[in-house]
Amino acid sequence: MSADDKLNGRGALDLSFLRGAAKPRATGGGMSRRNLFRGAGAVAGAGALASVASACSIQGTQTSATAADATDWYAWWAGKKLNGQFSFDNWAAYIDQDKNGNHPSLDTFTKKTGIKVTYDDAAVTDTATYYGKIAPSLAAGKPIGADLFVMTNGWEFTELVNNGYVAALDNKLRPNFLRNADESVLSPSYDFNSTYSAVWQSGYTGIAYHSDLVDGEITSWEDLTKAQYKNQVAMFGSLDELSQVGLLVNGVTPSSSTKSDWEDAADWLTNKLSPNVKKFYDQGYLDAFKSKQMAITQAWSGDILAIQANFPKVKFVFPEEGFGVWHDNMMIPVTAENPLDAMTWINYYYQTSVASVIEDWIWYKSPVVGVREYIRKVIDDPDYVNSELAFPPSDVLARAYEYVSIKDRTTYDTYTSIFNPVVQGS
Amino acid sequence: MSDQTLTRRPTFGPGPLHPDDIPEVKPRRKLGLPLFYCGIVTFLLIPIVAMIVYSFNVPTRNAITPVWQGFTLDAYLNLFAVQGIAEAFFTSVAIAAASGLVSVLIGLPMALALSRYRFRGKGVLNSMIFLDISAPSIVVGSSALAFFLSLNFTMGWTTILIVHVAFNIAYVVTTLRARLSGMGQNLEQAAGDLGASPLVGFFTVTLPLVAPGIVAAFLLAFAMSIDDYVITSFVNGSTETFPLYAYGFTKKGMAPQVLCFGTIVFVVAVCLAFLNGLLNRRRP
Amino acid sequence: MTSATTLPEAAPTRRVRLEALRRGVTPYLLSIAGFGWLGFFFVIPLVSGLLVSLMTGNPDQGYVLTWNWSVYADLFTGPTPYWLYLVRSLTYGLSATAFTIILAFPVAYFIAFRVSARWKTTLLALVMVTFFVSFIIRTDMWFYLLGGNGPITRVLVHLHVLDHGQTFLSTPGSVIGGMVYNDFAFMVLPIYVAMERIDPRLHEASNDLFGNRANTFFRVTVPLTRSGVFSGILLVLIDTVGDPVNSSILGGKETYTIGQAIQNAYFTTQQYNVAAALSTLLMAILGIILFLYARVVGTENIEDLI
Amino acid sequence: MSEAPPPSSSEAAISLRGVSRRFGDAIAVNNLELDLAQGEFFALLGPSGCGKTTTLRMVGGFELPSTGRIYLDGTDVTALPSHKRDVNTVFQSYALFPHLTVAENVIYGLRRRGTAKKEAFTRAEEYLELVGLTGFGKRRPTQLSGGQQQRVALARALVNHPKVLLLDEPMGALDAQIRKTMQTELKRIQREVGITFLYVTHDQAEAMSMADRLAVMNKGRMEDIGTPARVYDHPSTAFVASFLGSCNVLPLGTEGGPTTLPDGSATLVEGATAPATSGWSLGVRPERVNLAEAGTVSGPNATTATITDVTYLGAVSEVHLETAWGTPVQVLQQRGDAGLLVPGRQVAMSWKADECFWLPPENETPTTQEDAA
């Protein structure tokens, strides 16, 4: 398919089909809307105690979903203006950075478009926590401070969409995306036609270890349960990352797993793996790993690739049982104050030259076509281009799995009640 | 003491004891506490020294490493390269100043009421203040969040300020009440006796006399507010204060610039404290 | 009786009653702002925390007050062992408090009694100097210092105190140590203030009455610093029991505390009712501990101690 | 000392009418009636907790009476707050403003009434001179001695020309030597300025040496009021009698009439109506009793007693005796007959009819004896 075909094919897509059809919902929104007004009326009208008593409910997150359903997204986008600035919440070390901490690609963007970027790379340390922070504001229909944020595919992503917290992205405003997005991210399993998101990076979750601190070689998740690694292993606290290990070890495909699979996985994690685990980490694992807090850790491919220059003894493993592949996505909240500016950035990012500059610093997997070539030819960075961590061979890629897929709250509650105790320990 | 030394002495051995025996015991007794003190202060200063040293260490990917990699001033020269650091810092300073000011404005009259009057409900007020002090930050923060959630409030600058004032009031009132009680009621009565209305009396007598207490209370509130992480983390919404900002870096590798800010604040504070000490010493 | 009076008889007039009212109202006017602020933004939130804990629902549909008291039972019987985090937090808090007292008492004693007046402020300031550095930075520096690559660990490994690849981090010890470090000054200051109030002649009196150094210390100094110790305990215990920061930065898999659980329940799983129940329970337990302590040890004037 | 006529309320500097003050259930001041004449030096005397300070505070406007009225120069000031009353106070602790200089302290009241700064300072200098502190204006109160501070407090109050000056145990913190000087000084100043002084103290010697008239309070009530000489010589109750120096109280009426001592000796008080009921007693001051050889004295106001102890005090000797019926008695002998004052010896004691007084029973409401006596 040529670039033009893609553009035409998708440009014709009518966003209005989204109205009401996007996802099934347990209850209608009318009730929740009333809650909204009840709360507001109470604050305005009554004294403190009275308001607490009358507002004896916390409004659900589905409130704004109806409003989102009713939105004509073409009109919504047509009504937005460029404001010359936007703010961007991202994970740490997830954009190019010079030695002093400046971000050259953002500076170039500002130079070219006149749009100033407030970039917060301390904002997201863990998907669930970040979602927990922004959800109340989004539920109240208030801005969250960021016009663009990066969210991993998973339950929180689903929640953001289901609750109508994020804007559908007008394809007319992101021609570069349609032209340059890699086939694999054009319509990912968790977001049909990338309606609400544009992938920022993809990556793999495997095992990393300091070979100088570990006897023998590690090739599988099962290896982590060896008695000799007691208190040497770090795992992710994120349930999606953790659960998939237990499932893969048991030979289950995470995305199609069932409750009983989860229970078996949790059982393996608690009884086999946990005794060797020193700590469950979020984003902070890398710092701890670098300072040799632990010898072995569950790790994200790009992080390890990036530190191997300084830590040549660190090895990364794509475990035999299989490993996770994930996608971090740029999303725009419906309450954003500068959505068009953020959209401009998304479109800008989907240029091979821009994405390559960024990619050559963060070393994950870019969603933009031609990046590998560009880095090989223009930037000339063989370390990245030839790395199996960034570009695993096809036989390894065959073992890559998507996360457990959860579509509704009840399932999610079951899921968390099974895996949370593993993380929080006993 | 002397009795015991006398009775115990002969057991040391036969014959008259040489007077030098006594100072032999003394220095050991005297050295123990100073050494202990020095040990503790060293323990307290270690992380501060680390902060200063690491702020000059060459970072990797703009995160500090505990291994010395060479001296550099880069982080200081690019203090604002890490986005948001200045905003977070000034937000913290502004909230701390505002919450200190509001707590003093609210707390001073309350401290006056509590130290100068007997009235029904005084006990309730005292219990509220005690409760405020004895509530853990995590409870204060999470309760405030629960409250704001049920009122459908948006978290941000305002909610941080509101909650900071709420926990600062107790400390301000306690500090000022102690000061006012120490000062006694006589002077204000004397002012009234000499024809000053309560308001005039307050401004001509009470205020000048409790001014040092007000400054102390303000500084206490300022310090509590500017360094608060736990409470703020519940009610900050999208507003970022310096402790929250720094906490973000504990997850992803500390940027040297954060340590530079820490070092600069530390040096300025130490200088101010030193200056204040000098001024106080000069004054009679 | 004195000479017959031409003045009217004595009963309070309206003006006197008005004046009495004016004087009676003054303290209320003075404290209304503080009362309002504390009431509205502290007491009512505490109550609303209790109310939220009795709600049921989920983040999608929202939470509705159903007076569901069973949430408290679930804290102890549910799949997540909240009771364990609670017990753990109390243990950490109490140990940290105990260690802080043991370390702070000699320091306060040294400054109060063994140092000439002109050095007191300086020596005290050296203890307080940690407050000039952000709490988060201080704690994170310990993380780096005690990490596998950190100077302290490397020295200890070199001295064979630690094995290769072993650190102090991620243990209850490192969490409690962090708490002791961070709250040390909170203990020194009140104990020092209480000691400063002791009349030095009391020591002489004790010596005069045949008390030796130890007698004087345990029978005079310690009882008279009780109020200072109480304030110190109040500040340190309260601060450490609920603290999520030390355990999160310096802790490991087995140091998950109630503070972290509350944060997690609010932000990660958004189980507002569970989070509120945990926080209410924590407040109640601390309240009981402090009340019992005040009762057993006996405090004359609780406000005086803060 | 000449007896001042009782002030009539129209010209009284201060009048208290039925003034009471309750604190919860406790009655601090109970139905007080008091009139102070213009220019009078009046002392309010009593033990601590008798309500004298509360009375002063009500006059000063710091406390509101629960019932009753207070008049200043015939005007009802009961409801006025202290800053609107033309009275000034010298506080027990002086209450000098530590952040102001002596001169600034003194002009504080004048400035509140709108006196120009320059004039105020001139007046302050005058009053500092009056209290003997010329040239101290620039100092801080903390740089002054206790006596000097008190003088500043006095100047600070007097400079405002109040209708009444209230003094709340102003000598309490001074040592005995300075106290003596200050007493004379205070009396001089009071004469010079001619302002009515209401002086509260628990020291009876101080009150008697300075006051034109004094009142003795006990448990919130006024027990006696009059000139120092009258109240001392003819106190109206046993409490007043023993509060103003020591007093021998001899029981009456157990045998014979209501005016007879237990051993049957008759008593006589000049100028007083004899009590009609029993339960009264007779008071006589130690220095008014004469001792003589047993059997040499007869008639009323005489009885016998045994010496139990003699203490030589220099100017006088203190003799302790016991009457036949067992009441201990104390007598001060100017120049005792050495042979007579031997412990164990029985002696005759007597006193003059105008130097003793009848005292009502303890629980009976005292009738305030008027100075006309």
Side-chain angles (χ1 to χ4, degrees):
Chain A
M1 213 193 290
S2 77
D4 277 350
D5 280 343
K6 281 189 206 166
L7 191 59
N8 292 337
R10 300 217 187 76
L13 184 73
D14 182 6
L15 278 170
S16 55
F17 91 97
L18 289 168
R19 281 180 221 159
K23 54 265 147 190
R25 229 165 265 113
T27 55
M31 174 62 195
S32 319
R33 292 283 284 176
R34 238 181 295 133
N35 274 353
L36 179 76
F37 291 121
R38 204 201 312 168
V43 182
L49 209 52
S51 48
V52 172
S54 72
C56 266
S57 63
I58 297 174
Q59 174 191 307
T61 52
Q62 282 182 353
T63 311
S64 38
T66 7
D69 286 349
T71 307
D72 174 351
W73 290 107
Y74 285 125
W76 192 85
W77 280 105
K80 302 297 177 188
K81 278 198 287 289
L82 280 174
N83 297 325
Q85 57 167 40
F86 79 97
S87 54
F88 186 0
D89 278 3
N90 205 344
W91 294 68
Y94 222 25
I95 198 164
D96 57 320
Q97 208 177 66
D98 65 16
K99 69 177 164 85
N100 298 321
N102 296 302
H103 309 296
S105 62
L106 292 178
D107 297 342
T108 315
F109 173 71
T110 307
K111 249 178 239 148
K112 287 199 170 159
T113 61
I115 296 170
K116 206 180 157 292
V117 189
T118 308
Y119 183 79
D120 187 350
D121 72 344
V124 191
T125 56
D126 165 80
T127 343
T129 309
Y130 184 73
Y131 176 74
K133 272 299 235 199
I134 62 173
S137 294
L138 291 168
K142 308 254 171 68
I144 60 164
D147 303 297
L148 184 72
F149 58 81
V150 168
M151 177 58 63
T152 313
N153 61 306
W155 167 250
E156 288 78 19
F157 185 102
T158 312
E159 278 278 276
L160 284 165
V161 173
N162 281 358
N163 292 328
Y165 288 167
V166 281
L169 306 180
D170 186 348
N171 276 340
K172 288 204 295 288
L173 297 172
R174 48 172 182 176
N176 288 340
F177 172 81
L178 300 175
R179 199 178 294 123
N180 296 331
D182 190 89
E183 197 65 44
S184 64
V185 302
L186 267 173
S187 184
S189 60
Y190 53 85
D191 188 13
F192 178 67
N193 274 338
S194 285
T195 310
Y196 295 96
S197 66
V199 172
W200 170 253
Q201 291 289 317
S202 302
Y204 311 107
T205 308
I207 302 170
Y209 63 97
H210 289 282
S211 59
D212 51 336
L213 295 180
V214 169
D215 298 331
E217 207 173 337
I218 294 166
T219 56
S220 66
W221 296 113
E222 195 69 52
D223 284 344
L224 304 188
T225 61
K226 287 181 185 167
Q228 70 206 79
Y229 303 140
K230 187 155 177 62
N231 240 352
Q232 297 279 316
V233 179
M235 297 295 286
F236 284 125
S238 151
L239 298 192
D240 286 337
E241 295 285 17
L242 195 65
S243 65
Q244 84 184 342
V245 174
L247 291 165
L248 289 171
V249 164
N250 289 339
V252 179
T253 303
S255 54
S256 59
S257 57
T258 61
K259 189 187 170 199
S260 68
D261 295 334
W262 297 343
E263 280 161 351
D264 294 343
D267 189 51
W268 182 84
L269 290 167
T270 311
N271 297 323
K272 290 278 176 50
L273 184 61
S274 205
N276 279 3
V277 172
K278 184 163 191 175
K279 187 172 178 177
F280 291 98
Y281 282 95
D282 49 21
Q283 168 85 61
Y285 85 99
L286 190 60
D287 216 28
F289 183 62
K290 283 196 294 182
S291 69
K292 299 190 174 174
Q293 260 311 294
M294 60 286 195
I296 309 163
T297 183
Q298 194 179 12
W300 292 316
S301 53
D303 282 355
I304 302 307
L305 182 51
I307 66 164
Q308 274 176 336
N310 293 71
F311 294 87
K313 298 243 169 96
V314 166
K315 289 192 173 166
F316 186 84
V317 180
F318 292 103
E320 284 160 6
E321 299 95 331
F323 56 91
V325 54
W326 43 258
H327 314 279
D328 284 343
N329 309 280
M330 292 182 276
M331 302 179 100
I332 296 176
V334 282
T335 55
E337 286 162 314
N338 312 299
L340 201 55
D341 305 79
M343 194 67 181
T344 310
W345 164 258
I346 292 177
N347 189 46
Y348 176 85
Y349 173 71
Y350 271 83
Q351 299 176 75
T352 309
S353 57
V354 174
S356 299
V357 169
I358 294 172
E359 199 57 47
D360 191 41
W361 198 88
I362 52 181
W363 288 9
Y364 277 93
K365 184 168 179 300
S366 178
V368 181
V369 293
V371 165
R372 195 178 184 183
E373 282 308 296
Y374 190 92
I375 295 178
R376 193 202 312 276
K377 288 183 179 153
V378 182
I379 304 181
D380 187 22
D381 184 357
D383 284 351
Y384 171 67
V385 175
N386 299 329
S387 170
E388 290 203 349
L389 270 68
F391 307 100
S394 51
D395 60 317
V396 172
L397 267 185
R399 303 202 301 269
Y401 292 91
E402 298 275 345
Y403 288 148
V404 174
S405 162
I406 298 166
K407 295 292 178 209
D408 62 279
R409 168 64 61 180
T410 325
T411 318
Y412 177 72
D413 284 344
T414 314
Y415 177 72
T416 49
S417 69
I418 291 172
F419 287 106
N420 240 340
V422 180
V423 182
Q424 295 183 338
S426 47
Chain B
M1 280 309 299
S2 55
D3 276 356
Q4 288 183 345
T5 352
L6 280 176
T7 49
R8 218 181 272 157
R9 266 174 154 209
T11 61
F12 277 99
L17 274 154
H18 199 267
D20 285 354
D21 286 350
I22 303 163
E24 209 178 72
V25 188
K26 263 192 168 175
R28 274 183 71 195
R29 206 171 55 205
K30 281 203 165 169
L31 264 178
L33 274 178
L35 280 180
F36 185 81
Y37 173 84
C38 291
I40 289 286
V41 168
T42 312
F43 166 64
L44 293 176
L45 292 180
I46 284 174
I48 300 178
V49 172
M51 171 187 78
I52 298 170
V53 170
Y54 289 154
S55 73
F56 294 108
N57 192 5
V58 172
T60 35
R61 283 168 82 93
N62 211 45
I64 62 160
T65 70
V67 184
W68 185 251
Q69 296 184 315
F71 180 87
T72 176
L73 284 172
D74 282 352
Y76 284 91
L77 298 173
N78 297 281
L79 206 49
F80 302 104
V82 188
Q83 278 213 29
I85 191 165
E87 287 92 326
F89 182 75
F90 291 116
T91 305
S92 269
V93 172
I95 288 179
S99 78
L101 199 69
V102 175
S103 330
V104 167
L105 284 178
I106 293 177
L108 181 60
M110 195 160 163
L112 270 173
L114 289 174
S115 62
R116 294 286 183 265
Y117 296 88
R118 295 151 159 264
F119 56 100
R120 217 178 266 270
K122 190 174 175 176
V124 175
L125 223 51
N126 276 328
S127 322
M128 263 165 93
I129 288 166
F130 183 73
L131 195 68
D132 198 11
I133 286 182
S134 55
S137 304
I138 194 103
V139 173
V140 174
S142 63
S143 308
L145 175 63
F147 175 65
F148 291 135
L149 280 175
S150 22
L151 288 188
N152 192 18
F153 248 57
T154 312
M155 311 295 161
W157 218 94
T158 331
T159 47
I160 300 178
L161 181 65
I162 285 174
V163 182
H164 279 208
V165 171
F167 76 76
N168 273 337
I169 285 181
Y171 290 96
V172 168
V173 169
T174 316
T175 314
L176 288 176
R177 183 176 48 190
R179 180 101 196 170
L180 285 166
S181 306
M183 178 185 135
Q185 209 166 343
N186 264 337
L187 295 175
E188 284 145 32
Q189 290 186 349
D193 182 70
L194 294 167
S197 68
L199 210 61
V200 172
F202 173 79
F203 282 108
T204 54
V205 175
T206 319
L207 201 59
L209 287 172
V210 291
I214 291 175
V215 172
F218 174 82
L219 287 180
L220 180 66
F222 186 90
M224 305 275 295
S225 167
I226 203 165
D227 203 23
D228 175 74
Y229 165 75
V230 177
I231 295 175
T232 315
S233 73
F234 282 96
V235 295
N236 72 317
S238 57
T239 306
E240 200 145 25
T241 63
F242 192 72
L244 290 176
Y245 187 79
Y247 189 78
F249 279 96
T250 67
K251 299 285 184 187
K252 59 177 205 187
M254 188 56 78
Q257 280 90 345
V258 177
L259 300 191
C260 298
F261 260 88
T263 305
I264 293 169
V265 169
F266 176 75
V267 170
V268 170
V270 167
C271 288
L272 286 179
F274 187 72
L275 228 94
N276 181 46
L278 272 187
L279 286 176
N280 279 345
R281 201 157 278 189
R282 289 242 178 99
R283 243 177 257 151
Chain C
M1 280 283 153
T2 20
S3 53
T5 170
T6 53
L7 296 162
E9 241 331 292
T13 59
R14 225 181 108 248
R15 277 175 55 215
V16 175
R17 266 179 282 149
L18 269 176
E19 175 69 12
L21 189 70
R22 194 185 65 76
R23 291 185 189 192
V25 159
T26 312
Y28 295 103
L29 288 179
L30 286 173
S31 44
I32 184 87
F35 177 81
W37 201 291
L38 276 181
F40 206 97
F41 297 121
F42 172 67
V43 177
I44 290 180
L46 274 188
V47 177
S48 86
L50 178 69
L51 289 181
V52 168
S53 75
L54 302 175
M55 292 181 177
T56 43
N58 63 44
D60 285 353
Q61 263 93 50
Y63 289 89
V64 180
L65 183 62
T66 54
W67 301 101
N68 171 34
W69 291 95
S70 65
V71 70
Y72 286 93
D74 292 345
L75 297 182
F76 294 92
T77 56
T80 314
Y82 286 115
W83 62 270
L84 179 72
Y85 311 147
L86 193 64
V87 170
R88 195 180 276 155
S89 294
L90 287 169
T91 317
Y92 290 176
L94 288 169
S95 330
T97 311
F99 283 121
T100 326
I101 296 175
I102 293 169
L103 295 178
F105 209 93
V107 170
Y109 187 87
F110 173 68
I111 304 174
F113 297 123
R114 290 279 178 278
V115 168
S116 72
R118 55 190 299 256
W119 286 105
K120 283 185 180 181
T121 327
T122 313
L123 293 191
L124 200 62
L126 272 175
V127 175
M128 300 294 145
V129 93
T130 51
F131 287 140
F132 290 160
V133 175
S134 168
F135 158 55
I136 302 290
I137 295 182
R138 275 183 277 151
T139 314
D140 202 39
M141 287 303 107
W142 278 118
F143 170 81
Y144 282 102
L145 290 167
L146 294 175
N149 260 354
I152 293 177
T153 309
R154 280 190 297 166
V155 168
L156 293 176
V157 168
H158 194 73
L159 295 174
H160 298 287
V161 178
L162 288 176
D163 285 342
H164 201 57
Q166 210 184 4
T167 66
F168 284 129
L169 281 183
S170 308
T171 59
S174 59
V175 177
I176 295 171
M179 290 170 169
V180 170
Y181 174 81
N182 279 316
D183 284 9
F184 188 75
F186 287 143
M187 187 64 85
V188 173
L189 199 59
I191 296 183
Y192 169 79
V193 170
M195 283 179 174
E196 274 291 277
R197 273 191 234 146
I198 299 177
D199 187 340
R201 281 172 299 184
L202 292 177
H203 290 148
E204 288 165 19
S206 168
N207 290 346
D208 181 59
L209 297 167
F210 316 116
N212 62 18
R213 205 167 273 275
N215 281 340
T216 308
F217 181 76
F218 286 110
R219 311 234 169 233
V220 179
T221 314
V222 172
L224 285 174
T225 40
R226 204 175 51 187
S227 69
V229 173
F230 181 77
S231 328
I233 288 177
L234 191 71
L235 292 170
V236 175
L237 185 69
I238 288 164
D239 197 53
T240 51
V241 170
D243 173 65
V245 176
N246 285 298
S247 54
S248 136
I249 296 182
L250 302 173
K253 180 189 62 173
E254 263 138 34
T255 62
Y256 196 79
T257 57
I258 195 77
Q260 286 174 281
I262 294 174
Q263 274 192 329
N264 189 65
Y266 262 115
F267 294 125
T268 311
T269 55
Q270 289 181 283
Q271 292 173 291
Y272 296 148
N273 54 342
V274 174
L278 286 174
S279 132
T280 308
L281 187 67
L282 177 64
M283 183 76 197
I285 288 177
L286 270 181
I288 292 168
I289 291 178
L290 290 174
F291 177 77
L292 287 181
Y293 179 85
R295 264 297 161 87
V296 171
V297 178
T299 52
E300 299 76 26
N301 183 358
I302 215 159
E303 293 135 30
D304 191 47
L305 303 176
I306 302 160
Chain D
M1 214 179 282
S2 65
E3 297 276 285
S8 86
S9 41
S10 56
E11 63 186 35
I14 299 176
S15 297
L16 270 61
R17 288 288 166 269
V19 170
S20 299
R21 179 65 171 112
R22 272 183 296 275
F23 293 107
D25 286 337
I27 300 175
V29 173
N30 195 347
N31 199 22
L32 212 62
E33 298 278 337
L34 184 66
D35 290 279
L36 261 63
Q38 299 285 356
E40 186 179 23
F41 195 130
F42 191 93
L44 202 52
L45 192 59
S48 57
C50 71
K52 58 186 192 301
T53 297
T54 306
T55 309
L56 182 100
R57 289 172 59 78
M58 287 191 288
V59 176
F62 307 119
E63 300 275 359
L64 280 178
S66 305
T67 57
R69 305 232 178 131
I70 297 169
Y71 299 88
L72 198 61
D73 264 359
T75 320
D76 186 347
V77 297
T78 321
L80 285 185
S82 64
H83 64 279
K84 290 184 183 161
R85 292 188 193 200
D86 207 0
V87 277
N88 286 120
T89 312
V90 174
F91 291 87
Q92 184 171 11
S93 56
Y94 318 136
L96 297 179
F97 306 128
H99 60 300
L100 302 179
T101 63
V102 166
E104 283 167 344
N105 262 283
V106 177
I107 65 159
Y108 188 92
L110 295 174
R111 296 287 291 146
R112 299 286 86 77
R113 274 154 220 224
T115 313
K117 214 169 197 168
K118 220 174 149 198
E119 197 202 327
F121 274 117
T122 320
R123 298 251 310 265
E125 204 43 52
E126 275 169 40
Y127 275 83
L128 284 174
E129 195 187 332
L130 175 77
V131 298
L133 285 178
T134 321
F136 279 70
K138 289 243 167 7
R139 298 211 194 169
R140 296 261 167 189
T142 43
Q143 295 167 285
L144 303 182
S145 72
Q148 289 169 329
Q149 288 185 25
Q150 204 212 13
R151 286 159 192 262
V152 176
L154 198 59
R156 183 178 71 173
L158 287 173
V159 76
N160 304 302
H161 279 294
K163 292 211 170 91
V164 179
L165 182 73
L166 309 175
L167 300 102
D168 185 8
E169 309 225 14
M171 313 271 190
L174 300 181
D175 60 54
Q177 204 61 40
I178 302 171
R179 226 173 226 229
K180 271 268 180 276
T181 356
M182 273 314 291
Q183 285 172 11
T184 346
E185 192 80 334
L186 200 59
K187 190 74 194 151
R188 172 188 66 81
I189 291 168
Q190 196 258 341
R191 278 202 207 99
E192 234 164 275
V193 295
I195 290 172
T196 313
F197 276 30
L198 176 56
Y199 190 103
V200 159
T201 180
H202 66 270
D203 182 334
Q204 32 90 19
E206 196 172 283
M208 287 199 286
S209 73
M210 289 192 288
D212 297 328
R213 284 197 307 148
L214 56 80
V216 179
M217 283 186 75
N218 183 31
K219 292 175 184 162
R221 287 176 177 280
M222 180 104 70
E223 295 228 344
D224 205 349
I225 181 168
T227 62
R230 206 286 289 144
V231 177
Y232 184 81
D233 290 337
H234 297 280
S236 52
T237 67
F239 172 80
V240 175
S242 48
F243 189 76
L244 296 177
S246 39
C247 182
N248 297 305
V249 179
L250 306 176
L252 290 178
T254 46
E255 215 148 301
T259 62
T260 332
L261 289 170
D263 66 350
S265 325
T267 60
L268 186 68
V269 176
E270 206 175 277
T273 342
T277 56
S278 62
W280 286 59
S281 38
L282 184 86
V284 58
R285 302 235 172 242
E287 68 274 17
R288 308 291 198 212
V289 180
N290 293 311
L291 296 181
E293 289 283 349
T296 56
V297 188
S298 61
N301 293 346
T303 184
T304 53
T306 314
I307 297 178
T308 56
D309 191 20
V310 180
T311 313
Y312 177 67
L313 294 176
V316 289
S317 289
E318 194 178 86
V319 186
H320 295 265
L321 307 100
E322 200 179 272
T323 57
W325 62 92
T327 308
V329 174
Q330 207 185 351
V331 174
L332 290 178
Q333 278 296 94
Q334 274 284 322
R335 236 222 260 116
D337 175 349
L340 184 70
L341 303 182
V342 177
R345 193 159 171 173
Q346 209 177 43
V347 292
M349 49 182 257
S350 62
W351 53 91
K352 291 182 187 154
D354 60 347
E355 290 179 346
C356 62
F357 33 85
W358 280 313
L359 298 167
E362 203 54 66
N363 50 0
E364 207 159 291
T365 351
T367 24
T368 314
Q369 294 186 8
E370 262 314 317
D371 292 48

